[in-house]
Amino acid sequence: MPSILLIVTGSIAAPKALDLCKILLKEGYNIEVILTHGAKEFVSEEMFEALAITNIFSNIFDAKMEEKIGHIELSRKSDLVLTYPASANFIAKIANGLADDLASTAILASNKKIFIAPAMNVEMWHNKIVKDNIVKIENRNIDVINPESGLLACGEIGEGRLKEPQDMYQIIENYFNLRYKLVNKNILITAGGTREKIDPVRYIGNFSSGKQGLAIAKKFREYGANVTLIAANINLHIPKNIKTLTCESAEQMSDLVHDQCKELKYDIAIFSAAVADYKVAEIAAQKIKKKQHDKLTLTLVKNPDILANISKVLYKPKVLIGFAAESENLEQNAKEKLVKKNCDYIVANNIATHEIFASDENNILFINKKESHSFAGTKERIAEFIIKNIFKVI
Ligand code: C5P
């Protein structure tokens, strides 16, 4: 069963962590607990010991703990790091990279999925500083489990109530269920923008940065899938745990996709790359000189449609997902593409109303033959949304 590192911080909602532990232990999860200094105002180590949790830590300089595992291993051993409840102070520390106690150090040192469940007064929750900190931690790929609305411990009514233990448990369970489905699955992703050579120094390209495709690749890795990324001209840091094959042109990308699919049965392929529909019929061997031409006409010929072609071969991945950047009639054009390219889903972007290329944000319509869902947010959130929705229908 998975291991959870549970961090409890100073909030009047801290006793709910005990109820959550009871549920998780009953379901067979392993739990280790870190109590911050503030948490100890509301709960004690003995209360967790009484639930038969043996590993409870609170002090970064605790000899007992360092002897056993050391503060870095603590976050490495677990499959998930959950802060429940998270105070405004703790969120501020995480947002700004502070590491002045065991809990914040463990989060900073973690290479695992992190959930943070805030609990605080309604005015604090809506305070601009807290909101900015929440955005910061979300951008660091931490999942914020939004608080509920209701009667707060201070007597005020509004948003700020910690997610109830049973609901929190369900979120954890959903996360591990998805992980269970995805672990060791083979995922192929194309990303970036292809370049078609005109002569030795020039090319026809597009504005795609590869950010969305890379976000999807990272998210699949986070869930334990094997990811192959076919990257066209991506100028971003790609983590080493993503197998990456680079290419420049559509033709090269097409060859790589076919080679990969022949070699390995992919479970899901996501074609997020912006592929040039045309290439130059004849690439000039020498740099084209302007003194030779008053007017220059390039003859373009069609590139292979990688997605449409792969959907027709025997070695095609089990699930195919295409992208569609449209400047008008988004849903209708996306639906046509779904049929024409014979894929299972289309992720459609409206490029007329949204600045998408190279942006950290995105706005999509996710469609299959039966339904369509829209979603807006950071490219990481979009990646999460896509992954969760693929599995709803498979
Ligand atoms: O036809 P259009 O370019 O709008 O289709 C977009 C989708 O098709 C994307 O998923 C893109 O990666 C894929 N595509 C492709 N090969 C092409 C053109 C587009 O795989 N030559």
Side-chain angles (χ1 to χ4, degrees), residues 20 34 52 73 75-76 82 96 103 109 152 176 200 205 242 339 344 381:
L20 177 63
I34 297 179
E73 271 86 286
S75 62
R76 295 293 155 80
L82 165 68
N96 292 288
L152 304 172
F176 282 111
I242 295 174
V339 176
D344 301 285
R381 299 274 134 206

Side-chain angles (χ1 to χ4, degrees), residues 297-358:
T297 306
L298 292 174
T299 304
L300 303 179
V301 291
K302 268 206 167 154
N303 262 327
D305 189 320
I306 310 169
L307 174 55
N309 290 346
I310 208 82
S311 76
K312 293 178 200 141
V313 295
L314 271 175
Y315 48 84
K316 86 179 186 83
K318 286 185 211 155
V319 178
L320 286 178
I321 302 175
F323 270 60
E326 303 292 340
S327 56
E328 55 183 353
N329 303 330
L330 185 67
E331 186 155 1
Q332 192 194 325
N333 285 337
K335 280 202 166 131
E336 280 169 19
K337 215 155 274 186
L338 187 78
V339 176
K340 205 170 101 207
K341 303 208 180 208
N342 195 18
C343 46
D344 301 285
Y345 295 95
I346 287 279
V347 179
N349 296 121
N350 189 337
I351 52 166
T353 52
H354 295 92
E355 193 57 58
I356 283 155
F357 295 115

Side-chain angles (χ1 to χ4, degrees), residues 20 23 84 145 148 162-174:
L20 177 63
I23 303 173
Y84 180 94
I145 314 299
E148 310 264 313
L162 180 66
K163 190 67 94 188
E164 287 302 319
Q166 188 59 44
D167 298 336
M168 189 64 238
Y169 161 70
Q170 204 49 59
I171 292 169
I172 295 168
E173 187 71 356
N174 291 347

Side-chain angles (χ1 to χ4, degrees), residues 37-286:
H37 189 68
K40 287 177 159 178
E41 299 288 329
F42 303 96
V43 285
S44 65
E45 289 195 20
E46 290 73 22
M47 288 175 180
F48 287 90
E49 270 165 9
L51 301 177
I53 298 173
T54 44
N55 285 339
I56 305 154
F57 310 99
S58 54
N59 189 344
I60 193 167
F61 304 113
D62 186 340
K64 173 185 90 178
M65 192 204 90
E66 287 299 324
E67 191 187 292
K68 265 190 181 163
I69 35 180
H71 66 277
I72 302 213
E73 271 86 286
L74 195 54
S75 62
R76 295 293 155 80
K77 271 173 69 201
S78 63
D79 300 297
L80 172 74
V81 181
L82 165 68
T83 306
Y84 180 94
S87 64
N89 179 58
F90 191 72
I91 290 166
K93 287 211 285 190
I94 300 313
N96 292 288
L98 293 188
D100 63 350
D101 62 3
L102 181 59
S104 50
T105 314
I107 293 223
L108 216 56
S110 170
N111 58 358
K112 296 291 159 45
K113 184 76 205 156
I114 301 173
F115 283 171
I116 285 196
M120 65 194 76
N121 166 272
V122 55
E123 295 303 329
M124 283 172 89
W125 175 246
H126 287 298
N127 188 303
K128 174 91 172 57
I129 299 176
V130 174
K131 282 275 170 276
D132 288 349
N133 285 336
I134 291 286
V135 171
K136 266 195 195 173
I137 62 173
E138 280 188 330
N139 287 342
R140 225 209 96 192
N141 206 17
I142 289 176
D143 279 19
V144 175
I145 314 299
N146 278 331
E148 310 264 313
S149 217
L151 181 64
L152 304 172
C154 54
E156 289 180 23
I157 293 176
E159 250 177 285
R161 267 177 79 88
L162 180 66
K163 190 67 94 188
E164 287 302 319
Q166 188 59 44
D167 298 336
M168 189 64 238
Y169 161 70
Q170 204 49 59
I171 292 169
I172 295 168
E173 187 71 356
N174 291 347
Y175 168 74
F176 282 111
N177 280 343
L178 192 50
R179 223 189 124 82
Y180 184 70
K181 282 185 187 162
L182 278 171
V183 83
N184 295 331
K185 286 272 185 300
N186 297 316
I187 315 292
L188 181 70
I189 297 170
T190 71
T194 60
R195 289 176 183 174
E196 304 302 327
K197 261 191 173 172
I198 298 171
D199 67 13
V201 293
R202 303 179 180 97
Y203 60 82
I204 299 171
N206 60 66
F207 295 114
S208 178
S209 63
K211 273 188 186 171
Q212 183 64 78
L214 182 57
I216 297 170
K218 285 186 188 169
K219 194 59 78 180
F220 269 112
R221 269 303 301 148
E222 218 177 271
Y223 281 108
N226 300 321
V227 181
T228 305
L229 179 71
I230 299 186
N233 312 297
I234 295 183
N235 199 8
L236 300 165
H237 170 71
I238 301 173
K240 284 203 176 64
N241 60 9
I242 295 174
K243 178 179 159 192
T244 305
L245 306 166
T246 55
C247 63
E248 212 167 71
S249 67
E251 200 94 47
Q252 289 166 354
M253 180 175 272
S254 176
D255 289 347
L256 285 176
V257 167
H258 284 271
D259 289 350
Q260 278 304 306
C261 294
K262 280 180 199 162
E263 202 179 298
L264 192 64
K265 186 73 193 166
Y266 279 95
D267 296 287
I268 302 171
I270 302 189
F271 291 79
S272 72
V275 185
D277 291 325
Y278 294 92
K279 65 179 174 183
V280 178
E282 251 176 83
I283 302 169
Q286 305 301 330

